Amino acid sequence: MNATRGSLTLLASVPFRTLVLAASALLASLTLACNRGGDGNIEDAELPPPAQRVENEALDLALARVPAGLALRDNGANIRLVPSGGDAGDQSELRIEVGPDSAFGIDPVQLANDQQASFGEAAGGEFFGAQKLVTPLGPATYARGRFDAEDGSRIEETRAYAVHPAANRLVTVTYRYPAGEDSRERVAQLLEVLGEIEPRTAPVEIPDASPPADEPGA
């Protein structure tokens, strides 16, 4: 595999949850080692709060955890996350939306490619391409570009498309943030969120409608 797009190639081939859990376990081990005194006893230290799970009835989705560096702003018609502990003037926002049930197939690849026209029509629009992904939701894609906001500021947007885990509905994850030199970190945050999306309820099992087999000798 060619080492293109930094860590994004790795994320496209390894389940996100696996990477997150491995990193969390390593961090926990390092923290535990640092908190041990000379006699091997664990010194008093504040333990990190448990990961926040978010369930949304309107979207019929859940986030297994809110990734580090993000905080929940709203859990209503959509799930909205913002950077935590950042600049008060930072207008960055990550939004998870779900479309209606579709009677037709949903093509994340085509949707990502369509973003080229969308960015091209925006003021100062630039399109940086689309990428296929393998996620816990199945095949997904994301596209990234930049445009000028109404106030003249430069905005970057990364948008991911996937199919709902419990219905034939489009899941769109959109992350808008000021254009800068941190594109890789921003995209990594979006991909981490995408990897934490799961069904809010267990999928409904369809009972077997076939007639029972005749018993021998009947």
Side-chain angles (χ1 to χ4, degrees), residues 167-199:
N168 192 37
R169 304 171 67 186
L170 174 65
V171 177
T172 305
V173 183
T174 305
Y175 196 8
R176 278 191 180 183
Y177 43 89
E181 301 300 322
D182 59 348
S183 296
R184 171 175 287 190
E185 290 78 7
R186 299 283 196 166
V187 172
Q189 282 185 315
L190 179 144
L191 296 181
E192 190 173 1
V193 169
L194 190 62
E196 296 294 341
I197 296 176
E198 61 185 22

Side-chain angles (χ1 to χ4, degrees), residues 59-71:
L59 305 183
D60 197 22
L61 280 181
L63 278 181
R65 57 184 287 276
V66 175
L70 294 172

Side-chain angles (χ1 to χ4, degrees), residues 89-170:
D90 187 352
Q91 299 299 310
S92 302
E93 181 179 88
L94 188 150
R95 183 187 300 261
I96 302 173
E97 302 170 283
V98 174
D101 281 306
S102 175
F104 306 98
I106 296 173
D107 186 355
V109 173
Q110 184 60 51
L111 290 167
N113 288 333
D114 288 346
Q115 280 299 110
Q116 180 172 7
S118 178
F119 283 121
E121 294 170 357
E126 292 182 275
F127 180 66
F128 298 133
Q131 176 79 27
K132 294 181 181 179
L133 303 167
V134 176
T135 78
L137 299 178
T141 57
Y142 80 85
R144 184 171 64 89
R146 291 183 177 183
F147 57 90
D148 294 330
E150 293 182 358
D151 62 1
S153 61
R154 193 76 174 153
I155 299 295
E156 183 166 299
E157 179 179 287
T158 302
R159 184 172 294 197
Y161 300 99
V163 179
H164 196 286
N168 192 37
R169 304 171 67 186
L170 174 65

Side-chain angles (χ1 to χ4, degrees), residues 63-86:
L63 278 181
R65 57 184 287 276
V66 175
L70 294 172
L72 180 65
R73 167 171 284 179
D74 182 63
N75 187 27
N78 304 298
I79 297 175
R80 297 163 57 203
L81 305 174
V82 295
S84 59

